[in-house]
Amino acid sequence: MTLVILAAGMASRFGSLKQIEGLGPSGETIIDYSIYDAIHAGFSKIVLVIREATHDHFAKTFTEKYGNKIKLEFVDQELHKIPNGFEYLPEREKPWGTGHAVLMAKDAVEGPFVVINGDDFYGREAFEDIVKYFRMDDRRDAMHCVSTGNFCMVGYALNKTLSDFGTVSRGVCELDENQRLKSITERISIQRVNDKIEYSDETGAHELPEDSKVSMNFWGFQKQHFDVLEQGFKDFLNERSKELKSEYYIPTLASLLMQKGAPCDVLSSNAQWFGITYKEDVAEAKQRLAELTEKGIYPTPIWK
């Protein structure tokens, strides 16, 4: 099992490189907690998707912490890393999106892999649940996971994923009666307005149910899914490479796989989720991590 951590974002709303923001009692980052949980859940390799400008810092820092605990590999996401024959506007600065970020890890992954954001705290139970999904032979046989290419997503309740300090973007999911994903729609500008949760688009404001299942970019895929991901990115570039801000998202891969008949199982997590979208989120994140440390769930420093 390989864990792919997306840590190449620009963090424009946060204002600085939040992937290395010290939040734990000994300055631990959220990535530190994700790696710790992954090791204890049974992952065998970590791949960090970063940027060329931060490559040396990330490689040195995390190798010193975890190089003797788990296999590490670092890959870069950059605008110029696109298939031959495609071009983009020289004025473009925005990365190509989470789908492109995952594609950067193609050569570093050898089997089933899990994708997470580098700035989200998912909770240990979520890592354990997704490992069980791939490793329980009886369940995999019953679901024909190997032969049909099933994949999965850890879903969280929308009302547990909001920020008190601004809007957020979430992949809002529709599930069928078997708790499999029917569709996922990227909604932006989500926030609580009085006693309701709303998102905004070009047509106005729209209410969302409190318990809507949302994707926090915690996905489990098969190695062969990279082929679909790569072809989808080429199709995206054919249509939108000359746009300045269009992005290729992971939910696009999910939709492509489902169109090809691969079911997506949604694992409902009761784990504690939190993130740092805005600077104002830092204080609450520090408090939650301090509480988890005081309860003995995590040591500090976590890499010792």
Side-chain angles (χ1 to χ4, degrees):
M1 290 288 296
T2 298
L3 178 66
V4 178
I5 302 177
L6 307 184
M10 298 177 68
S12 55
R13 287 179 291 183
F14 191 73
S16 62
L17 196 61
K18 59 183 175 179
Q19 297 92 329
I20 59 173
E21 184 82 12
L23 301 172
S26 297
E28 294 92 344
T29 66
I30 285 184
I31 292 177
D32 285 319
Y33 289 95
S34 293
I35 292 177
Y36 182 90
D37 285 339
I39 290 172
H40 284 78
F43 284 82
S44 57
K45 183 177 181 179
I46 305 291
V47 176
L48 281 116
V49 182
I50 51 181
R51 306 184 74 181
E52 291 175 353
T54 59
H55 186 109
D56 290 345
H57 174 80
F58 270 90
K60 181 177 185 296
T61 300
F62 286 97
T63 299
E64 288 177 353
K65 292 177 179 177
Y66 306 106
N68 64 342
K69 297 179 175 64
I70 193 169
K71 186 176 181 180
L72 297 169
E73 191 164 345
F74 305 87
V75 298
D76 300 329
Q77 180 189 19
E78 297 293 338
L79 285 176
H80 63 83
K81 293 192 172 186
I82 59 177
N84 293 331
F86 293 95
E87 298 179 349
Y88 60 93
L89 295 176
E91 310 95 275
R92 183 179 177 112
E93 297 180 354
K94 194 173 186 64
W96 292 113
T98 54
H100 177 251
V102 175
L103 189 58
M104 296 300 96
K106 179 179 180 180
D107 293 336
V109 172
E110 298 177 0
F113 66 100
V114 171
V115 179
I116 64 169
N117 290 335
D119 56 353
D120 288 339
F121 180 93
Y122 294 99
R124 184 175 304 169
E125 300 94 333
F127 289 88
E128 293 171 346
D129 288 345
I130 206 164
V131 167
K132 289 177 183 177
Y133 175 85
F134 283 112
R135 287 194 170 175
M136 288 177 62
D137 290 338
D138 54 346
R139 183 173 182 180
R140 293 183 67 182
D141 289 343
M143 300 175 70
H144 309 290
C145 186
V146 176
S147 60
T148 62
N150 285 47
F151 64 108
C152 65
M153 180 199 86
V154 178
Y156 291 78
L158 174 61
N159 59 6
K160 296 181 179 180
T161 71
L162 303 178
S163 171
D164 293 331
F165 305 103
T167 62
V168 297
S169 299
R170 298 287 182 258
V172 180
C173 304
E174 181 183 2
L175 309 184
D176 65 17
E177 63 276 6
N178 297 314
Q179 295 303 295
R180 285 178 168 172
L181 187 64
K182 289 179 64 177
S183 66
I184 181 168
T185 305
E186 190 74 14
R187 299 299 188 191
I188 62 173
S189 301
I190 300 175
Q191 61 184 329
R192 185 174 293 281
V193 179
N194 298 321
D195 60 343
K196 298 179 180 179
I197 299 176
E198 297 180 346
Y199 74 92
S200 299
D201 59 18
E202 62 276 5
T203 65
H206 310 272
E207 185 177 353
L208 288 168
E210 293 272 338
D211 59 351
S212 296
K213 200 68 69 178
V214 297
S215 164
M216 302 307 298
N217 265 358
F218 198 131
W219 296 89
F221 294 109
Q222 309 283 350
K223 169 68 174 178
Q224 65 265 30
H225 294 158
F226 276 111
D227 295 334
V228 178
L229 178 66
E230 188 167 26
Q231 183 57 54
F233 185 53
K234 290 178 180 178
D235 295 339
F236 167 85
L237 291 174
N238 272 324
E239 297 179 4
R240 314 187 73 173
S241 65
K242 297 304 176 66
E243 299 175 6
L244 290 176
K245 295 185 177 181
S246 295
E247 296 183 66
Y248 181 57
Y249 294 114
I250 294 174
T252 302
L253 170 61
S255 297
L256 291 172
L257 290 172
M258 288 189 293
Q259 289 171 17
K260 294 179 178 295
C264 178
D265 297 294
V266 178
L267 314 179
S268 295
S269 176
N270 293 319
Q272 184 179 23
W273 177 94
F274 57 87
I276 48 170
T277 304
Y278 301 94
K279 279 287 188 182
E280 292 83 354
D281 292 321
V282 168
E284 182 179 356
K286 286 185 174 181
Q287 180 181 346
R288 291 193 182 188
L289 291 172
E291 292 171 352
L292 291 170
T293 303
E294 290 172 2
K295 292 177 180 178
I297 297 175
Y298 296 103
T300 187
I302 201 168
W303 49 84
K304 294 295 186 181

